[in-house]
Amino acid sequence: MAIFAMGWQKPDNVAGSSAPAIMVGLFVATGGLLFGYDTGTINGILAMKSFKDHFSTGYVDGNGHPGIYPKESALIVAMLSAGTAIGALLSAPLGDQYGRRRSLIVAIGIFVIGAILQVCAHDIGLLVAGRTVAGVGVGIVSVLVPLYQSEMAPKWIRGTLVCTYQLSITMGLLAAAVVNILTYKLKTAAAYRVPIGLQLTWACVLALGLIVLPETPRYLIKRGDKDAAALSLSRLRRLDITHPALVEELAEIEANHQYEMALGPDSYKDILFGEPHLGRRTFTGCCLQMLQQLTGVNFIMYYGTTFFNNAGVGNPFKISLIMQVINTASTIPGLFVVESWGRRRLLMVGAIGMAICQLLIAAYATANGSNNVTIQNKVLITFVAIYIFFFAASWGPVVWVVTSEIYPLKVRAKSMSISTASNWLLNFGIAYGTPYMQTNSAEGHESSIDLGSKVFFVWGAFCIVAVGFVWCMVYETSKISLEQIDEMYERVDHAWHSRRFEPSWSFQQMRDFGFSDSGVPPTQQQQQQQPQMELQQSQSRTSDASTSQTDTGGSNTTSASQDDKLVASLGNIDLSY
């Protein structure tokens, strides 16, 4: 907790404790290890001599050694992403029917089955089947972990907690690089089976931990179980179930959900045509997830070792390890500034930095051709490292943050599953197509090209597109609650004006005082009427209390007076956190 005390300070006017929610969020975030470790493992395994000897089906590389056909390596890598796309689509019905927590446990079980199939594989067919099954589990996790985190976190640290999901992915990649470098020289099947088998350890630990964690209060409200939601929120905020701050937060969540349901159903059709502006929000989430893949990061994560080897870089395993260290360390600055800078600024700065690095690599390689190979490799390694820094501090974590925040509760699981599935579909396309972009057709005897470093022209161009997209479409969602984001989309017409948005009215107030469901703040006349309405409600409560006292002979009036004094004593506590 020391690192959080250094970089993030709970506002003084926030009631209760945020420590339980932070600890739960950090633990659940480690679900990202499953995807990160699996991705990093296959990156190194494809370049291992032992793996090529055992799985080669007749392909011989330029040095006369057994190898893997481009179509086979593409299939091995890409089928994980195909499975994750399926898992992402399954996550919405699972998460809405059985809850976020139980569905996560099921997802980890599916992943374990896939990992066991990979360990036992003796041919490419069974290996591909195992990676597909494991991918289904990873796809469900990739939707439900950010969803779980965003629904249980206090708003002052929500973005940072969701970012830790990406940090866990990078830690998984780093762990895989370390294991690969320790095993790649082994001449037996242990060289690749040990790295694959080790991922089962954390999967089991994560599943056991999830058994004792609470379900998110927002999901329980969605299911109509208000008592269970109050207990869950009490555990997460470390407040008594009757504390005014907890009662107020729970009432706001419930009122917001009722408001959302009043605007339309929670069907898949509604994520495109529902209000307020659900189609725009779904489009924003899908495009962000696709652009995250089109920055080219998984080109490095999946095939980095092979790419550096083909480029003539000495000891590509060590270079890949260095890149993963940079990837992990660079995620931390993003955690510190995602709340202070905001989502929009961090995404745009990151995309600009990535575009500059990638275009410089591609331009230098094109200008020099096959000359100055040593200098080209130094330029390549240097700017790939800087590129990874910009990605890890911005687009890596922040995309997950935005897509976990911008959807209303009633369709949050469905919208996140669709946007995340678009991420995995692009992931599949890049994973499958890269071997054909990086292999010489004369060697592979297949229709393929050898772009080399020129492939960075493609990724750099998409990074430029990403800058414009964020400016035009991504709303700033930091420092406001999930319930207030609906109001922002209702009142703010353009994304570039969203930083000036100030929440003006709560959904509970709209429900209690009968104001318009449009999300527009009340008029001056309505504000003048509010004290009169409050007085009338207060008199009504007093009358009810007196009647109750007469009927029961008790002292309910005294109890109500004590409750009023307790609320007044809270002073300026912000009850919306």
Side-chain angles (χ1 to χ4, degrees):
M1 295 298 294
I3 186 172
F4 281 93
M6 291 167 50
W8 306 274
Q9 183 64 44
K10 181 170 77 76
D12 294 333
N13 62 344
V14 176
S17 171
S18 299
I22 291 173
M23 298 306 295
V24 170
L26 290 176
F27 180 79
V28 172
T30 56
L33 285 170
L34 304 182
F35 170 60
Y37 185 87
D38 195 288
T39 300
T41 298
I42 203 65
N43 177 14
I45 285 175
L46 289 175
M48 290 181 180
K49 183 178 184 301
S50 175
F51 178 80
K52 294 176 182 178
D53 291 340
H54 282 82
F55 285 86
S56 177
T57 56
Y59 177 77
V60 178
D61 63 21
N63 298 320
H65 300 140
I68 305 295
Y69 283 106
K71 65 180 181 181
E72 293 171 337
S73 62
L75 199 63
I76 291 169
V77 174
M79 287 311 293
L80 178 82
S81 300
T84 52
I86 296 171
L89 294 174
L90 291 175
S91 64
L94 277 175
D96 283 342
Q97 179 66 34
Y98 301 106
R100 301 4 177 172
R101 183 181 62 87
R102 290 179 182 176
S103 299
L104 279 171
I105 296 173
V106 170
I108 294 168
I110 295 172
F111 175 83
V112 167
I113 294 172
I116 292 173
L117 291 175
Q118 293 178 69
V119 172
C120 298
H122 290 279
D123 56 42
I124 290 177
L126 186 57
L127 180 65
V128 168
R131 287 183 59 76
T132 305
V133 173
V136 174
V138 170
I140 298 173
V141 168
S142 68
V143 174
L144 295 184
V145 165
L147 178 60
Y148 185 100
Q149 291 175 305
S150 68
E151 287 191 348
M152 48 70 64
K155 72 179 182 182
W156 69 271
I157 200 169
R158 184 181 65 236
T160 299
L161 274 183
V162 178
C163 281
T164 59
Y165 174 66
Q166 176 66 22
L167 178 62
S168 292
I169 293 177
T170 63
M171 291 172 65
L173 288 163
L174 176 59
V178 172
V179 173
N180 284 341
I181 207 169
L182 293 175
T183 63
Y184 81 96
K185 290 184 179 180
L186 298 177
K187 300 185 183 301
T188 64
Y192 56 87
R193 283 183 177 163
V194 169
I196 294 174
L198 284 176
Q199 62 192 327
L200 292 170
T201 305
W202 186 251
C204 294
V205 172
L206 185 59
L208 291 173
L210 282 166
I211 292 175
V212 300
L213 294 184
E215 183 56 81
T216 71
R218 286 177 170 87
Y219 169 75
L220 293 170
I221 286 292
K222 177 179 172 67
R223 297 290 295 176
D225 195 344
K226 186 175 180 179
D227 292 338
L231 287 172
S232 174
L233 197 61
S234 176
R235 290 179 62 185
L236 293 170
R237 301 293 185 265
R238 200 173 288 173
L239 289 171
D240 186 85
I241 197 170
T242 60
H243 192 284
L246 188 142
V247 172
E248 183 76 10
E249 181 176 0
L250 194 66
E252 177 67 2
I253 294 171
E254 184 181 21
N256 172 248
H257 182 56
Q258 292 175 356
Y259 163 78
E260 291 172 355
M261 295 304 296
L263 296 179
D266 58 351
S267 64
Y268 277 97
K269 178 182 178 181
D270 203 53
I271 70 175
L272 295 177
F273 302 104
E275 293 294 339
H277 302 292
L278 295 190
R280 182 197 302 177
R281 292 150 88 167
T282 301
F283 177 74
T284 299
C286 290
C287 289
L288 276 179
Q289 292 281 13
M290 289 189 287
L291 286 169
Q292 186 196 57
Q293 291 301 309
L294 292 170
T295 61
V297 66
N298 278 330
F299 165 72
I300 298 295
M301 300 308 167
Y302 283 133
Y303 298 105
T305 305
T306 303
F307 173 72
F308 290 130
N309 188 40
N310 293 340
V313 175
N315 202 331
F317 281 91
K318 286 185 179 179
I319 297 298
S320 291
L321 176 60
I322 292 170
M323 294 302 171
Q324 298 307 338
V325 171
I326 294 171
N327 188 30
T328 302
S330 301
T331 307
I332 296 175
L335 303 184
F336 277 89
V337 301
V338 67
E339 299 294 352
S340 58
W341 281 25
R343 287 49 158 162
R344 278 172 56 84
R345 182 183 300 176
L346 193 52
L347 285 172
M348 286 190 287
V349 170
I352 292 170
M354 288 189 293
I356 292 172
C357 292
Q358 292 169 324
L359 294 177
L360 284 174
I361 293 171
Y364 190 85
T366 302
N368 282 272
S370 58
N371 300 322
N372 302 320
V373 175
T374 302
I375 297 177
Q376 278 194 53
N377 287 340
K378 290 180 180 179
V379 171
L380 172 66
I381 294 170
T382 300
F383 282 101
V384 166
I386 299 172
Y387 153 73
I388 289 176
F389 166 80
F390 278 107
F391 176 85
S394 59
W395 278 78
V398 179
V399 166
W400 296 108
V401 175
V402 174
T403 55
S404 71
E405 292 177 333
I406 61 175
Y407 305 119
L409 175 60
K410 66 175 181 179
V411 295
R412 188 170 293 139
K414 294 181 176 65
S415 296
M416 281 192 66
S417 72
I418 296 297
S419 63
T420 306
S422 66
N423 178 299
W424 294 121
L425 286 174
L426 263 292
N427 193 314
F428 172 80
I430 292 169
Y432 192 83
T434 295
Y436 296 95
M437 299 166 65
Q438 295 297 309
T439 304
N440 190 290
S441 58
E443 294 177 4
H445 307 290
E446 300 177 23
S447 178
S448 55
I449 56 176
D450 186 10
L451 287 178
S453 296
K454 295 177 183 178
V455 72
F456 287 101
F457 275 128
V458 178
W459 312 133
F462 279 112
C463 286
I464 294 173
V465 172
V467 176
F469 179 81
V470 171
W471 172 260
C472 294
M473 295 298 298
V474 176
Y475 281 63
E476 184 53 66
T477 53
S478 62
K479 298 182 178 64
I480 58 176
S481 71
L482 294 179
E483 285 67 44
Q484 291 164 341
I485 291 172
D486 276 341
E487 182 188 354
M488 178 177 65
Y489 269 94
E490 183 72 26
R491 290 175 49 201
V492 180
D493 293 331
H494 303 293
W496 53 88
H497 293 153
S498 60
R499 288 185 65 88
R500 298 197 294 268
F501 169 74
E502 290 290 341
S504 61
W505 208 243
S506 76
F507 290 98
Q508 187 184 1
Q509 288 169 319
M510 288 196 299
R511 180 188 66 181
D512 292 346
F513 299 123
F515 291 129
S516 169
D517 286 343
S518 66
V520 177
T523 64
Q524 184 176 0
Q525 181 181 1
Q526 289 172 325
Q527 290 176 350
Q528 291 172 351
Q529 292 173 352
Q530 180 185 343
Q532 299 175 3
M533 299 175 70
E534 288 177 333
L535 179 60
Q536 291 172 0
Q537 289 194 352
S538 176
Q539 292 172 344
S540 176
R541 286 196 299 266
T542 303
S543 175
D544 292 342
S546 300
T547 302
S548 177
Q549 181 181 7
T550 301
D551 292 341
T552 64
S555 56
N556 290 350
T557 305
T558 304
S559 175
S561 176
Q562 290 175 343
D563 289 343
D564 291 340
K565 291 179 180 178
L566 178 60
V567 173
S569 68
L570 293 176
N572 66 337
I573 288 181
D574 186 347
L575 301 177
S576 66
Y577 278 84

